[in-house]
Amino acid sequence: MSHSVLLTAAHEDTEVFRSKLEEQPVSVLHYPLERYQSLEDNGDILDALENLEEYENIVHGSKRNAQFWIEWLQEFDKIKEARNQLNLALDQHTASYLEEQGIPAVHPHADGEAINLLEFMLRIKRIGKTLYPCGDKTAEDLPALLRELDIEVDELVLFTLEGPEELNLEEYRKDFAAHQPEFIIFHSRRSVNRTLAAFPNANYEDAMVISGDQAVTDKLATEGIEVDQQAEGSWDSILEIIKKE
């Protein structure tokens, strides 16, 4: 019997997770309540593009970060210049995307943990000035870890996080009203607010509520929602819970 899973994270953040879910006897109710949008031209972005040679490394913390960076490189015809730097990726998924775009990339052959990439950089002695493309509302560990070692890193903000467009939200609500998911995933504290606002009539008592980590569990408790299973802060740990159930 197939069960349904409610997922509200952005397309870019769940690409691998959703592909793995397809291997399980579940159907995915994917209503992205998070939407990433490119910023307009600004001085910081233009300066980085014009001065790529100053950076020893360009570090890509996710495929999403890489996608927005590639868009800027293509717009200003800077792909060739970006190839001259060492492009480091947090995981194989991101490295494969960069290589598809013509930029050779390396990663530490680990599980996508920031500490693994940092250790890899130290091992290959790539501790020079580093460019880190990212968004304005995404908390990422690696820049802080680099700064702790006095490695100069410029976080280049390329995109921002928005909610769904109104027409899409209406479609999500109509489709949700026709389904009662067996699993409801709250992947972040932010997803708690967005999901409750989008689906105020959702029945959480008859579904298995999965939280991404302890902070999400605490946030749900303040909303009076009981968590059935708590993951360990990764999409893989959420997947393991679904597989066991």
Side-chain angles (χ1 to χ4, degrees):
M1 178 180 178
S2 176
H3 295 292
S4 56
V5 179
L6 175 63
L7 179 65
T8 62
H11 283 287
E12 301 93 328
D13 292 334
T14 58
E15 188 173 357
V16 174
F17 177 69
R18 285 183 286 116
S19 68
K20 292 179 179 179
L21 274 182
E22 290 177 358
E23 301 171 2
Q24 305 302 315
V26 298
S27 59
V28 182
L29 304 176
H30 188 204
Y31 309 130
L33 301 180
E34 299 174 349
R35 177 172 56 93
Y36 295 100
Q37 184 170 317
S38 181
L39 296 179
E40 300 294 329
D41 293 6
N42 64 47
D44 290 339
I45 296 174
L46 298 178
D47 285 347
L49 290 168
E50 288 299 321
N51 298 288
L52 284 177
E53 71 280 357
E54 294 183 3
Y55 297 98
E56 186 170 358
N57 312 303
I58 303 176
V59 176
H60 307 274
S62 68
K63 181 181 175 181
R64 179 190 61 241
N65 291 3
Q67 286 174 317
F68 280 97
W69 177 236
I70 290 294
E71 287 180 8
W72 284 102
L73 292 176
Q74 290 174 338
E75 181 174 346
F76 287 89
D77 196 24
K78 292 288 184 177
I79 292 286
K80 183 177 179 180
E81 287 83 347
R83 291 195 191 106
N84 294 330
Q85 276 60 48
L86 177 63
N87 284 266
L88 294 160
L90 194 62
D91 51 46
Q92 182 61 58
H93 186 55
T94 304
S96 296
Y97 169 76
L98 288 165
E99 289 167 2
E100 289 169 2
Q101 304 305 313
I103 295 183
V106 295
H107 73 98
H109 298 285
D111 296 326
E113 298 290 338
I115 189 63
N116 294 327
L117 183 52
L118 176 59
E119 291 172 350
F120 181 70
M121 293 174 68
L122 294 174
R123 187 166 68 249
I124 63 175
K125 297 182 172 59
R126 301 299 293 206
I127 55 176
K129 187 175 181 181
T130 296
L131 182 67
Y132 193 88
C134 60
D136 64 348
K137 295 183 177 67
T138 54
E140 304 191 33
D141 296 331
L142 191 55
L145 292 174
L146 292 171
R147 291 192 181 96
E148 287 180 6
L149 296 177
D150 294 325
I151 298 174
E152 185 177 359
V153 55
D154 289 344
E155 292 182 77
L156 183 64
V157 176
L158 302 178
F159 56 91
T160 188
L161 182 63
E162 303 285 352
E165 296 180 349
E166 189 60 34
L167 181 60
N168 289 335
L169 182 57
E170 290 178 6
E171 293 176 352
Y172 298 159
R173 285 171 170 162
K174 288 179 181 178
D175 194 59
F176 181 81
H179 300 87
Q180 174 54 50
E182 282 77 20
F183 299 95
I184 298 178
I185 298 172
F186 291 95
H187 62 280
S188 67
R189 287 173 53 87
R190 183 173 60 239
S191 73
V192 176
N193 295 332
R194 290 180 183 267
T195 303
L196 295 183
F199 310 116
N201 299 319
N203 184 349
Y204 299 105
E205 294 182 358
D206 293 338
M208 171 169 284
V209 174
I210 302 173
S211 79
D213 55 30
Q214 186 62 55
V216 180
T217 298
D218 294 342
K219 173 70 173 176
L220 287 165
T222 66
E223 300 291 344
I225 298 174
E226 183 177 349
V227 170
D228 297 294
Q229 295 282 351
Q230 178 179 302
E232 299 174 359
S234 69
W235 288 109
D236 280 345
S237 62
I238 292 175
L239 180 64
E240 286 304 311
I241 291 173
I242 294 173
K243 289 167 65 175
K244 289 177 181 177
E245 296 299 329

